[in-house]
Amino acid sequence: MQETDKIWMNGELVDWADAKVHVGTHALHYGSGVFEGIRCYETEKGPAVFRLRDHLERLENSAKVLYMDLPYAREELRQATHELIAANGLPSCYIRPVAYYGYGELGVATTGNPVDVVIMSFPWGAYLGEEGQRTGITTMVSTWERVGPNVIPHVAKATGIYLNSMLATTEARRAGYDEAIMLTRDGYVADGPGENIFVVKNGTLLTPPLSMSILPGITRDTVIHLARALGYMVEETLLIRTDLYLADEAFMVGTATEVAPIRAVDDREIGVGPITLELQQAYLDVVNGRDQRWSDWLDVVATSRTPAEV
């Protein structure tokens, strides 16, 4: 992680090295936090955050599931994000807001613990690697199944849930693969540890429904919109392991991942197909401000050189 100058912490910009929490913080012990992953892109109009309001709405929804009352309104967090990006002077960056139960009591219950809110911004390239974006990534079906919706609500982007993802990712990397694919207890395809999944079959895009205990991905929603605008059919449907093996194309999507082709699953070669590459390029055109049809998704940040867009 590349350090930047400032971090926004509970309403103030503090130096990177001074953004500290107590070892008794509730979230450190029990995973009681929620977060977002957001990207800001360099555009002709200046730094622009992609779908910032949608991400902050999901942060609120995640907090609600955890009985957490955020001490800041959505617009306050939006302005804080703008302030942080301008302070760090980054034309493009990754943004990580996190809200968590802080230092107070150490019991499992959250009673007596404040809700702290922090926003970080720092440079971050392609999550699964620049080479993977071009030539595709290798994946394996993990032995770790996706946690069920009545065990932990995966609809919430909660910190504790990502232990499930960490185990799957670590297993895949140790086995020599780029990423894992997780199944539900019933054997249906769910998602990756930090990505949603699409399969292309006979020119139609197939993706697991939200009922498979997957995060309602903002990049997933974006790709569905773009695919339909390009004339492709998109179906939310149940998929099994062999649907991955026999796919014409497959790819993963996420804010950090963007659009990453899957070239192999469990050592079955799929290759990188034209529809995946078309959607990858369409996505990059949108987030970088080159496709004005989707300009409402870009929240331009005011800097010393660029005015704000409301």
Side-chain angles (χ1 to χ4, degrees), residues 100-301:
Y100 56 92
Y101 286 105
Y103 173 67
E105 302 296 331
L106 201 55
V108 174
T110 59
T111 306
N113 297 86
V115 174
D116 293 324
V117 183
V118 175
I119 307 174
M120 305 170 65
S121 73
F122 52 92
W124 201 9
Y127 175 64
L128 295 175
E130 298 293 343
E131 182 65 22
Q133 296 293 95
R134 292 188 296 270
T135 63
I137 62 170
T138 60
T139 63
M140 64 167 284
V141 175
S142 179
T143 63
W144 297 99
E145 66 186 37
R146 171 54 76 201
V147 64
N150 289 322
V151 179
I152 301 178
H154 198 65
V155 69
K157 197 172 177 68
T159 59
I161 295 173
Y162 278 75
L163 176 60
N164 189 212
S165 295
M166 182 275 287
L167 290 168
T169 294
T170 302
E171 178 186 48
R173 298 285 175 86
R174 287 169 65 90
Y177 298 90
D178 296 315
E179 190 56 294
I181 294 175
M182 304 179 76
L183 307 181
T184 68
R185 171 162 291 187
D186 294 328
Y188 294 110
V189 176
D191 53 11
E195 311 91 358
N196 293 119
I197 294 178
F198 286 84
V199 163
V200 180
K201 192 69 176 179
N202 298 324
T204 296
L205 275 70
L206 309 173
T207 191
L210 297 181
S211 58
M212 290 299 98
S213 193
I214 65 174
L215 182 74
I218 291 171
T219 309
R220 174 183 182 272
D221 178 72
T222 301
V223 169
I224 289 173
H225 276 82
L226 296 180
R228 287 174 174 161
L230 289 168
Y232 295 108
M233 293 285 293
V234 182
E235 297 180 9
E236 296 182 84
T237 187
L238 298 179
L239 298 169
I240 58 176
R241 184 190 301 235
T242 50
D243 290 323
L244 300 171
Y245 297 163
L246 302 177
D248 297 329
E249 304 177 34
F251 57 93
M252 287 180 160
V253 303
T255 294
T257 303
E258 299 175 313
V259 178
I262 297 173
R263 66 174 174 83
V265 181
D266 288 346
D267 300 318
R268 276 81 165 181
E269 289 292 328
I270 298 172
V272 179
I275 295 177
T276 299
L277 294 177
E278 183 181 12
L279 288 168
Q280 183 186 65
Q281 187 59 55
Y283 181 80
L284 293 175
D285 286 343
V286 169
V287 298
N288 286 285
R290 295 189 291 266
D291 188 339
Q292 292 302 308
R293 293 175 298 171
W294 312 92
S295 59
D296 288 348
W297 279 341
L298 293 171
D299 195 339
V300 178
V301 177

Side-chain angles (χ1 to χ4, degrees), residues 1-7 16 38-43 45-49 81-96 119-124 299-306:
M1 182 185 298
Q2 182 177 331
E3 296 184 5
T4 53
D5 290 336
K6 298 293 183 181
I7 291 176
W16 180 283
I38 311 171
R39 278 195 187 270
C40 175
Y41 291 86
E42 184 175 9
T43 73
K45 295 181 179 180
V49 187
T81 302
H82 280 230
E83 180 185 8
L84 177 65
I85 293 170
N88 283 332
L90 299 173
S92 62
C93 61
Y94 182 82
I95 305 158
R96 172 53 59 86
I119 307 174
M120 305 170 65
S121 73
F122 52 92
W124 201 9
D299 195 339
V300 178
V301 177
T303 67
S304 58
R305 294 178 296 174
T306 61

